């Protein structure tokens, strides 16, 4: 047993090492989102809180393809929406939403939002995910619905309302808009988004095929407690990254 290996999240000796790691994982997540088709023009953003300046976050630049982003392209944005490091503009919607989520949730290291196909589709129904598979039970009573739509989110008050709807959950469905997920690492937030998008797809397909059978409350809670924490999300994400290594060529420049 003492010779068996099992990967766990890294520990860091310095804040500089941790910052570099978060930036690299942010680029990995963005590249994977691009590969999975989560881009929709300039919409979509993933943020990572800076480990030293905790009211600042790193984010993908406005108007740059997820598939081509490198560590050198990332920008650092402060609590006033100013770019303090980097050469590119920040997406105004990214700041309006993510600044408020990070401010409301000190436990959140990363937040992911994009206009993915099945997330958008389910959001148009204005409903939550149902406990119809083992995987989706990770979100049972652990995601919320922001039951409003007032156009592109450009002001911080709208972002604050989204943060209130998110509350202490790992995800929120933005009605007529899409999905937003959070985690205590970039990897966790990215995994929650990917598996939530797939869960939206399963729910839509199951509904189209017939009447889904729900997992009962007791078993849904038990399954959520087994699968629904950020460490499990981090573990689930690692083989996904390893399986798409070709998408990361040049990512850390």
């Amino acid at each position: 047993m003492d010779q068996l290996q099992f990967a766990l999240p890294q520990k860091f000796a310095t804040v500089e090492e941790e910052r570099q790691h978060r930036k690299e994982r942010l680029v990995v997540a963005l590249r994977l989102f691009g590969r999975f088709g989560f881009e929709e023009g300039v919409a979509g953003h993933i943020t990572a809180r800076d480990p030293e300046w905790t009211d600042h976050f790193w984010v993908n630049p406005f108007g740059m393809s997820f598939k081509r982003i490198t560590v050198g392209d990332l920008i650092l944005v402060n609590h006033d929406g100013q770019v303090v490091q980097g050469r590119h503009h920040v997406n105004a919607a990214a700041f309006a939403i993510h600044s408020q989520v990070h401010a409301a949730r000190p436990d959140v290291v990363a937040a992911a939002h994009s206009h993915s196909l099945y997330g958008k589709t389910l959001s148009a129904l204005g409903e939550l995910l149902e406990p119809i598979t083992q995987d989706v039970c990770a979100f049972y009573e652990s995601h919320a619905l922001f039951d409003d739509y007032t156009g592109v989110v450009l002001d911080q008050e709208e972002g604050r309302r989204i943060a209130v709807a998110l509350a202490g959950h790992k995800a929120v469905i933005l009605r007529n808009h899409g999905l937003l997920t959070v985690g205590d690492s970039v990897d966790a937030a990215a995994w929650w988004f990917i598996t939530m998008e797939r869960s939206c797809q399963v729910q839509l397909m199951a509904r189209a095929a017939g009447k889904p059978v729900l997992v009962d409350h007791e078993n849904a809670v038990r399954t959520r407690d087994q699968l629904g924490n950020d460490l499990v999300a981090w573990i689930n994400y690692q083989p996904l990254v390893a399986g798409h290594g070709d998408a990361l060529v040049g990512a850390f420049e």
Side-chain angles (χ1 to χ4, degrees):
M1 290 292 291
D2 61 345
Q3 296 180 16
L4 300 181
Q5 298 181 3
F6 187 78
L8 288 171
Q10 290 178 246
K11 303 293 183 181
F12 303 94
T14 68
V15 70
E16 291 79 14
E17 290 179 2
E18 186 168 12
R19 176 180 297 118
Q20 183 64 21
H21 178 78
R22 287 188 185 181
K23 291 169 68 177
E24 290 178 357
R25 301 311 285 182
L26 179 53
V27 168
V28 170
L30 288 161
R31 291 278 188 115
L32 288 184
F33 274 35
R35 169 154 289 197
F36 296 157
F38 295 165
E39 287 187 281
E40 186 78 12
V42 299
H45 13 85
I46 309 176
T47 53
R49 189 191 301 273
D50 188 85
E52 182 178 8
W53 306 298
T54 55
D55 61 348
H56 293 47
F57 57 79
W58 296 92
V59 64
N60 50 299
F62 179 75
M64 186 173 291
S65 170
F66 287 176
K67 300 183 185 75
R68 296 185 178 274
I69 286 176
T70 69
V71 168
D73 294 322
L74 297 176
I75 57 176
L76 180 64
V77 180
N78 69 14
H79 63 281
D80 293 320
Q82 299 169 325
V83 176
V84 297
Q85 285 191 39
R87 308 182 305 275
H88 306 280
H89 290 282
V90 63
N91 185 316
F95 174 71
I97 297 172
H98 291 250
S99 65
Q100 298 306 302
V101 169
H102 282 287
R105 292 282 301 276
D107 59 309
V108 164
V109 166
H113 166 65
S114 192
H115 297 180
S116 54
L117 180 61
Y118 298 105
K120 285 190 297 185
T121 305
L122 190 69
S123 79
L125 303 179
E127 61 183 43
L128 294 171
L129 288 166
E130 297 176 331
I132 59 174
T133 70
Q134 175 174 293
D135 296 322
V136 77
C137 284
F139 296 97
Y140 185 67
E141 296 183 338
S142 188
H143 73 297
L145 173 68
F146 180 63
D147 196 12
D148 194 10
Y149 181 79
T150 59
V152 179
V153 181
L154 296 176
D155 68 78
Q156 294 180 63
E157 177 56 28
E158 187 75 351
R160 189 194 67 79
R161 293 175 61 224
I162 291 172
V164 169
L166 174 66
H169 300 306
K170 62 169 63 74
V172 59
I173 297 173
L174 311 177
R175 200 195 76 201
N176 305 110
H177 189 168
L179 311 177
L180 184 143
T181 60
V182 299
D184 66 3
S185 66
V186 174
D187 293 26
W191 172 256
W192 291 136
F193 191 97
I194 292 165
T195 192
M196 191 177 196
E197 167 71 2
R198 291 172 173 171
S199 294
C200 291
Q201 180 181 7
V202 168
Q203 182 159 313
L204 293 164
M205 292 174 64
R207 288 261 193 88
K211 183 178 180 180
V213 177
L214 303 185
V215 176
D216 65 81
H217 172 74
E218 181 180 354
N219 283 308
V221 169
R222 179 181 296 111
T223 306
R224 180 200 65 210
D225 292 346
Q226 294 168 335
L227 301 178
N229 65 72
D230 282 349
L231 176 58
V232 173
W234 184 94
I235 292 169
N236 273 312
Y237 186 68
Q238 303 316 302
L240 198 62
V241 174
H244 291 274
D246 60 310
L248 306 179
V249 175
F252 305 131
E253 298 175 354

